[in-house]
Amino acid sequence: RIQLVESGGGSVQAGGSLRLSCVPSGPTLSKYCMGWFRQLPGKEREGVAALDKDGTPRYADAVKGRFTISQDNTTNTLYLQMDSLMPEDTAMYHCAGDHDCVTIATMSSTYPFNYWGQGTQVTVSS
């Protein structure tokens, strides 16, 4: 079905910026919504940012004012612009999609969303 492919991760110093992309492919039977999550080994995933059903962005408190989520209307590619990066932002970043737009907008750390990308690593050094 739908597949998501992330890219754009890398290693930067604190204060630097990265822009992540999530490219969807495959047939879409109905509308789905998307968001970004991150995870460190051995730890529960953490919601980062997501789009409401109407396209309104939502952010975790830890990234407010520094990250910006957006989506291309023609390709449905999801982006995460990350500015003023901090070492605590270091994680594997995944994009996710689900037809339940209400739930994905909550950025649940445990809900099994339907679609996931393979992840892109972000490492921020001091």
Side-chain angles (χ1 to χ4, degrees), residues 13-113:
Q13 290 191 334
S17 297
L18 287 171
R19 191 189 191 211
L20 308 184
S21 299
C22 174
V23 181
S25 64
T28 303
L29 299 180
S30 61
K31 176 180 171 60
Y32 64 95
C33 295
M34 300 173 70
W36 288 97
F37 299 80
R38 63 189 183 186
Q39 189 170 21
L40 287 169
K43 294 186 177 180
E44 187 177 69
R45 77 177 190 229
E46 175 188 11
V48 177
L51 296 173
D52 277 344
K53 191 172 295 184
D54 63 356
T56 300
R58 297 182 179 274
Y59 300 97
D61 289 342
V63 306
K64 283 183 179 178
R66 300 188 297 117
F67 291 10
T68 304
I69 186 172
S70 61
Q71 189 167 30
D72 187 290
N73 292 331
T74 59
T75 66
N76 287 330
T77 299
L78 190 72
Y79 301 99
L80 185 67
Q81 178 66 44
M82 305 185 295
D83 298 318
S84 301
L85 283 163
M86 304 176 181
E88 53 263 42
D89 294 319
T90 295
M92 181 71 73
Y93 283 71
H94 300 263
C95 62
D98 201 278
H99 298 290
D100 188 342
C101 292
V102 173
T103 300
I104 201 164
T106 70
M107 296 180 286
S108 171
S109 296
T110 57
Y111 190 87
F113 298 117

